[in-house]
Amino acid sequence: MIWNTMMGTSILSIPWGIKQAGFTSGIILILLMGILTLYCCYRVVKSRKMIPLLDTSNWEFPDVCKYYFGSFGQWSSLLFSMVSLVGAMVVYWVLMSNFLFNTGKFIYNFVHDINVTEIVPGTNGSNKVICPGAAGDNPPQNESMTFFSGNNTSFELFEKWWDKSRTVPFYLIAILLPLLNLKSPSFFAKFNVLGTVSVVYLVFLVTVKAAHLGIHLEYNWFTENEFFVPEFRILFPQLTGVLTLAFFIHNCIITLLQNNKNQENNVRDLSVAYFLVGLTYLYVGVIIFASFPSPPLSKECIEQNFLDNFPSNDIMSFVARIFLLFQMMTVYPLLGYLARVQLLGQVFGNVYPSVFHVLVLNIAIVGAGVAMARFYPNIGGIIRYSGATCGLAFVFVYPSLIYVISLHRAGQLTWPALIVHIFIILLGLANLIAQFLL
């Protein structure tokens, strides 16, 4: 359950993050961030037990923050929780726009028997890999050349009304905005298994592609040339920002573990879940990076969504996009429900004060997703900014501060414990600052 909840859209950006950090440092950072976030999550789980003389069995982590920091802890934890939820929903909207666009394009070309040839650099053969552009902040919109005979009027209309950033993000409004306004999204919770199916299929896709492409690693520790990146790069904080959100489950871990029949196994189950998540990220990230054909392409071509490195007519990528599109369309209303419960419940004391209140909140959330899909469709950037921001509070600061304060009140605080947890807080602060500097 924890693995299924934690695994999300970040998996698509892990290969790009490894490229930004360098191969060796990328692997090391995944391992270290997994261990660090696991420890901080463990501190969240144990935080309620360190409050004496009170029944904390029904408390969530914001309640613990309120106990230690008063109203500031309550509202700041709410703010950062909203950042994580809305950030995830924005990433979902960008990805759903991407998947819907490519799915519609594939179906249209297939139905009309249109031959599509990618005009961007790429490899030859049936397992083609393309380089849509330097995987930076301005990915190109048109990446293919279409050959067909006859009247091209219908195709021109299709191209006009089926655009990745100008039209498709707006089409999703008609589907998802009504779903967000439902009082209870319990129906969509039944499709939670789609998340597991999607991740398993991605692992299968990565394995098959790597088996056909082979391993392409040119080791160089410090210098770059056309066909490889150094093992260590100064851009490594971009990966730590992505990983903060990739390993983020701290704001709901208490709720998830409350359903555990054997509470004494909480720490074991949490550790196993983090191990499996880290192993999945390592496998996908390392295999995609190592098998990316360089030469003839450059590792710099690895996209923020690694599925974009496969051409639009690739069958396996088409199936992956279908799986992910339906999964995200079922998870998106659940995320919206959580955002509504946390925000409106705290502000108005009622999770559904009126249709108007809920509609205004949902329009604001959907508007943020549409704006990002239209003007900044870069999931790697969105993930690392939102991950580092919410992670500063929920992963690094609050768990460490609460532990130090509780030890101090119990007269058990030692200098090593104080130094270690101050260092963790400083790491979180440096992680956030570095996102805006690199």
Side-chain angles (χ1 to χ4, degrees), residues 16 19-20 120-121 130-140 298-304 309 378:
W16 170 80
K19 179 203 74 175
Q20 298 299 89
V120 295
I130 62 174
C131 182
D137 293 336
N138 296 294
S298 166
K299 299 290 187 185
E300 285 294 326
C301 291
I302 298 176
E303 288 288 296
Q304 295 181 10
N309 284 116
N378 304 302

Side-chain angles (χ1 to χ4, degrees), residues 276-298:
L276 293 175
V277 170
L279 187 64
T280 307
Y281 288 153
L282 267 177
Y283 182 82
V284 172
V286 169
I287 292 298
I288 286 292
F289 184 91
S291 64
F292 195 85
S294 172
L297 302 178
S298 166

